[in-house]
Amino acid sequence: MHRQGALDRKETQAGAGAGTGNGNENTISSEGLPSYSNYRLRLNPNTDHKPDNYEDLQLEFSPLLFSSLERYLHPNLLDESRETKVQYIKEILHRYSPEGDRTRVQKHREYRQKIISNYQPLHRELFTMHAENFFVPTFLKAVHDNTEESFKKIMVEPIPGVFSFEMLQPRFCEMLLLEVENFEKWVHETKFRIMRPNTMNKYGVVLDDFGMEPMLNKFMEDFIRPMSRVLFSEVGGSSLDSHHGFVVEYGINRDVDLGFHVDDSEVTLNACLGKQFSGGELFFRGVRCDNHVNSETHPEEIYDYSHIPGHAVLHRGRHRHGARATTDGHRINLLLWCRSSALREMKKYQKEFPNWCGDCLRKKKERQRLKVAAIKNELIKRQGGEQQATRETAA
């Protein structure tokens, strides 16, 4: 990561269209406001700063993104008006999300609202976070204590960067499975076209699309982010501010397996909901950056994880993995792809090799080894020359 400090300045012009301009009384216009787009985000959040609340504004991006990014603002911006901060953050988000992407987001928002307006939930208690009813006590205590020791106490780390632990209560798993079945039944009866979780899964549903986005935001913010702050700080674990939440299904007449891939996330939570099944192991093959995503796998990076209902696995999105065939029964998993807009913005300035990529680390160590070997050889040559000169002088 580029490390010229919090006072770095970036030579770019202000992003166009920073204001929403829809005439709503809670809409902030950028007209007449100064541009601060030449200020770069801080590398680390200002933990002492309490960000403004943006929930009352009509914004094209999630208010959570604004509150999260505010902690990374240049010191000169922290005490500016909320209007100025909104303008600056929107300029960043516009660069991060091109106009074509924003148009797709708006259409998706309208699609999602149409579903939510017509779908009748089976278990409404699932749509609001009730931690005591969702999670097992050991997981709740670990998050409440919020220390590396408390998290490691409930976890197993079979290979570096892959953590498994018990998380979900059986009743929550059962209710969520029934809710997904109810939604799929509604889709079938209404002949509503739904979007599948991603390009690789032909079965499953996006939980955010039928009303669970607020609950999953709370899930990420209050439970996944505290763990990621400790376990995955080098990939933006402390600044997770958006998610993609979905359920995937494997088995007969469903997806059978999943090919080798990386996730579009900084941190991924994968929790097994059930049901009865055989096979379906996750196989991990090492963490890679974009430059080395297709490089060979080394023996120490190979690991297969067997799913247990109610248990979860947490890993970097860039940890290469796939799912083996589910050979019998029906396996359903909850996935939460957690993302950091701050990290994705700052990655533009990254100059050095990432310190979390297996191949980058190997190449770095190899360069260091060669450097040490060269210095050693040079010293040996010098020492040999000095010894030779001494013998000649003595002769």
Side-chain angles (χ1 to χ4, degrees):
M1 189 70 72
H2 189 49
R3 297 192 177 275
Q4 292 184 8
L7 296 179
D8 280 351
R9 301 170 70 87
K10 182 175 142 202
E11 299 301 328
T12 59
Q13 295 183 351
T20 56
N22 62 6
N24 188 286
E25 63 178 356
N26 288 327
T27 298
I28 289 181
S29 170
S30 63
E31 184 177 355
L33 292 175
S35 173
Y36 291 88
S37 62
N38 57 332
Y39 285 116
R40 186 175 296 180
L41 291 176
R42 296 165 54 97
L43 293 176
N44 298 299
N46 186 328
T47 56
D48 296 329
H49 176 72
K50 183 178 180 181
D52 280 320
N53 187 304
Y54 298 90
E55 296 286 346
D56 61 313
L57 301 180
Q58 298 295 322
L59 301 166
E60 57 185 310
F61 301 100
S62 167
L64 183 61
L65 280 170
F66 286 80
S67 296
S68 175
L69 279 173
E70 185 176 329
R71 295 183 183 273
Y72 289 83
L73 293 184
H74 186 285
N76 290 356
L77 285 168
L78 290 179
D79 295 327
E80 290 288 340
S81 67
R82 187 171 70 158
E83 289 81 358
T84 298
K85 287 183 281 192
V86 165
Q87 177 201 3
Y88 174 76
I89 293 172
K90 285 204 299 187
E91 288 175 359
I92 288 176
L93 294 175
H94 282 160
R95 294 195 298 271
Y96 164 65
S97 179
E99 184 177 357
D101 291 344
R102 298 200 303 275
T103 300
R104 285 190 291 272
V105 168
Q106 178 59 32
K107 289 182 178 179
H108 192 189
R109 186 180 292 118
E110 294 169 357
Y111 156 85
R112 181 176 291 178
Q113 188 56 48
K114 186 175 181 180
I115 295 178
I116 294 173
S117 299
N118 291 278
Y119 173 68
Q120 296 299 318
L122 180 65
H123 294 290
R124 289 192 176 274
E125 59 266 41
L126 287 175
F127 292 74
T128 305
M129 175 55 69
H130 299 287
E132 293 77 11
N133 298 330
F134 291 0
F135 305 121
V136 297
T138 52
F139 176 76
L140 285 175
K141 185 178 186 309
V143 176
H144 177 267
D145 292 344
N146 196 21
T147 65
E148 182 174 4
E149 181 181 0
S150 69
F151 294 135
K152 293 292 183 68
K153 188 175 181 180
I154 66 167
M155 294 177 172
V156 175
E157 187 181 11
I159 59 171
V162 175
F163 302 91
S164 61
F165 50 96
E166 186 179 7
M167 184 178 71
L168 300 175
Q169 291 194 22
R171 176 57 179 159
F172 171 83
C173 295
E174 179 185 354
M175 286 195 300
L176 186 53
L177 289 173
L178 291 173
E179 193 67 51
V180 170
E181 290 178 4
N182 187 62
F183 178 66
E184 290 180 330
K185 179 182 177 183
W186 176 82
V187 168
H188 177 74
E189 291 175 348
T190 60
K191 296 181 170 33
F192 196 94
R193 184 183 65 84
I194 66 168
M195 298 177 67
R196 294 303 177 183
N198 53 64
T199 57
M200 300 182 71
N201 288 100
K202 297 178 182 178
Y203 295 89
V205 298
V206 179
L207 300 177
D208 298 316
D209 283 349
F210 63 96
M212 289 194 178
E213 183 180 18
M215 185 275 283
L216 293 176
N217 261 336
K218 198 73 173 171
F219 192 171
M220 177 195 68
E221 187 175 2
D222 292 352
F223 298 94
I224 306 306
R225 191 161 67 188
M227 292 192 295
S228 300
R229 176 185 60 79
V230 172
L231 304 175
F232 303 113
S233 60
E234 71 281 7
V235 291
S238 63
S239 60
L240 301 176
D241 52 18
S242 66
H243 75 269
H244 176 48
F246 56 97
V247 161
V248 291
E249 301 183 43
Y250 295 90
I252 300 175
N253 299 323
R254 295 289 191 275
D255 289 319
V256 176
D257 55 18
L258 190 64
F260 193 50
H261 67 285
V262 295
D263 297 336
D264 182 15
S265 68
E266 273 61 71
V267 177
T268 292
L269 175 81
N270 187 337
C272 184
L273 300 174
K275 303 179 179 178
Q276 298 293 323
F277 60 89
S278 299
E281 299 86 358
L282 282 180
F283 60 90
F284 290 92
R285 296 296 183 265
V287 185
R288 296 291 188 275
C289 65
D290 290 338
N291 294 331
H292 301 122
V293 68
N294 292 315
S295 63
E296 65 177 311
T297 299
H298 298 267
E300 67 273 13
E301 297 176 318
I302 297 175
Y303 172 65
D304 284 13
Y305 169 80
S306 298
H307 292 286
I308 302 173
H311 287 238
V313 59
L314 194 69
H315 60 86
R316 294 175 181 85
R318 300 295 308 184
H319 205 135
R320 302 180 301 177
H321 62 285
R324 301 195 184 284
T326 298
T327 55
D328 186 48
H330 190 187
R331 177 172 70 85
I332 304 178
N333 281 51
L334 164 66
L335 276 295
L336 201 63
W337 288 358
C338 302
R339 299 159 176 160
S340 165
S341 54
L343 178 82
R344 295 186 178 204
E345 171 69 11
M346 289 188 289
K347 277 177 69 175
K348 296 177 182 178
Y349 317 117
Q350 184 172 347
K351 302 297 182 183
E352 300 175 356
F353 292 106
N355 61 5
W356 45 262
C357 170
D359 264 17
C360 286
L361 287 175
R362 269 182 283 274
K363 291 177 184 298
K364 183 177 180 180
K365 289 179 180 178
E366 178 62 14
R367 290 194 302 273
Q368 291 173 340
R369 186 190 68 80
L370 292 175
K371 185 177 180 179
V372 169
I375 294 173
K376 183 177 179 180
N377 288 336
E378 181 64 25
L379 290 174
I380 291 173
K381 287 180 181 179
R382 288 182 182 179
Q383 186 178 23
E386 290 173 356
Q387 292 175 347
Q388 179 65 27
T390 301
R391 285 195 295 268
E392 292 175 354
T393 301

